[in-house]
Amino acid sequence: MDILKENWKDWNVESSIDLDIKMVFVKFWTGRVPDADVNLFLSRFCTILQPAIKPLDKFGIWYGVRKYKIRTKKNSSGETVQIPNTMALGPYNGKITYSGQIPRCYICQGVDHQIKDCPEIKCWRCGGLGHKAKDSRFSSVCSLCAAEGHGFFTCPQSYANRARSGTQLLCIFKNEIEQNRFR
Ligand SMILES: [Zn+2]
Ligand SMILES: [Zn+2]
Ligand SMILES: [Zn+2]
């Protein structure tokens, strides 16, 4: 019964369904970041509905922006999962922008302070939080897949590491098939 009520509430809010679909822009200053890693990172926070579009400038050169059509995810309490405004893949930092975005600290994603007042430490080597670059081997949480106990460079999910071990290439195809189902 509660579920029914919830549904009616949703229908009454104007275009609430459309608000779940967004265009998300991911900008890296380098072309060396594989699509698969950006896809994996984004998939933690939303459902990718279309593979990345890479707009070209007037000279026909790609300038590092990927454009995604996504559907927002809900957490177990029914709240919309917030997509962060930045993603770190090792030393490479990407900026994420989308409509309705709330200004957040680029390090810890807090809403009550700016980057210069952030109490969190960010490692410029692996992109992880909570340690400095000289302590990078002690990385606690992976910046790519959010698992504990390894960093970006040793992440078994990263494109580079999956490509290195041929047996796990199947996983890449499996992910792509799963993404295709949502189209
Ligand atoms: Zn912060
Ligand atoms: Zn580190
Ligand atoms: Zn990982």
Side-chain angles (χ1 to χ4, degrees):
M1 199 53 199
D2 277 339
I3 291 164
L4 268 177
K5 242 189 270 169
E6 279 299 301
N7 284 344
W8 279 112
K9 202 181 75 195
D10 283 351
W11 284 110
N12 289 336
V13 177
E14 211 175 304
S15 70
S16 69
I17 290 163
D18 291 341
L19 288 173
D20 292 345
I21 311 259
K22 286 181 192 291
M23 299 308 291
V24 169
F25 298 83
V26 182
K27 162 96 179 162
F28 277 93
W29 297 100
T30 169
R32 298 170 73 180
V33 175
D35 288 338
D37 288 354
V38 181
N39 296 353
L40 174 67
F41 180 88
L42 270 188
S43 308
R44 283 165 47 197
F45 309 97
C46 58
T47 305
I48 297 171
L49 300 174
Q50 268 171 16
I53 297 163
K54 297 179 177 179
L56 304 179
D57 67 15
K58 60 181 173 180
F59 305 108
I61 296 167
W62 180 52
Y63 51 97
V65 169
R66 289 175 175 86
K67 189 178 164 188
Y68 288 91
K69 188 177 181 183
I70 63 102
R71 182 183 294 122
T72 55
K73 273 186 187 173
K74 299 251 196 281
N75 64 18
S76 50
S77 359
E79 295 154 347
T80 302
V81 175
Q82 289 299 322
I83 302 166
N85 58 11
T86 181
M87 63 180 288
L89 297 177
Y92 305 124
N93 280 290
K95 204 174 171 191
I96 304 174
T97 48
Y98 51 91
S99 64
Q101 193 169 30
I102 300 162
R104 283 168 189 277
C105 168
Y106 279 105
I107 293 179
C108 74
Q109 299 294 308
V111 291
D112 57 348
H113 63 269
Q114 303 256 296
I115 191 165
K116 62 175 166 47
D117 300 316
C118 186
E120 187 67 84
I121 300 166
K122 181 169 178 171
C123 170
W124 52 260
R125 189 175 289 164
C126 74
L129 297 183
H131 66 273
K132 292 182 176 175
K134 66 179 170 59
D135 301 320
S136 195
R137 65 204 165 92
F138 301 117
S139 186
S140 46
V141 175
C142 174
S143 67
L144 176 61
C145 76
E148 290 182 19
H150 67 255
F152 172 67
F153 292 111
T154 49
C155 179
Q157 306 259 36
S158 82
Y159 181 75
N161 289 332
R162 284 188 301 173
R164 221 166 271 150
S165 69
T167 51
Q168 290 191 9
L169 274 175
L170 269 176
C171 292
I172 297 171
F173 293 120
K174 193 169 161 275
N175 283 343
E176 272 167 9
I177 289 162
E178 271 165 15
Q179 278 170 22
N180 283 337
R181 283 207 318 242
F182 293 108
R183 272 179 222 160

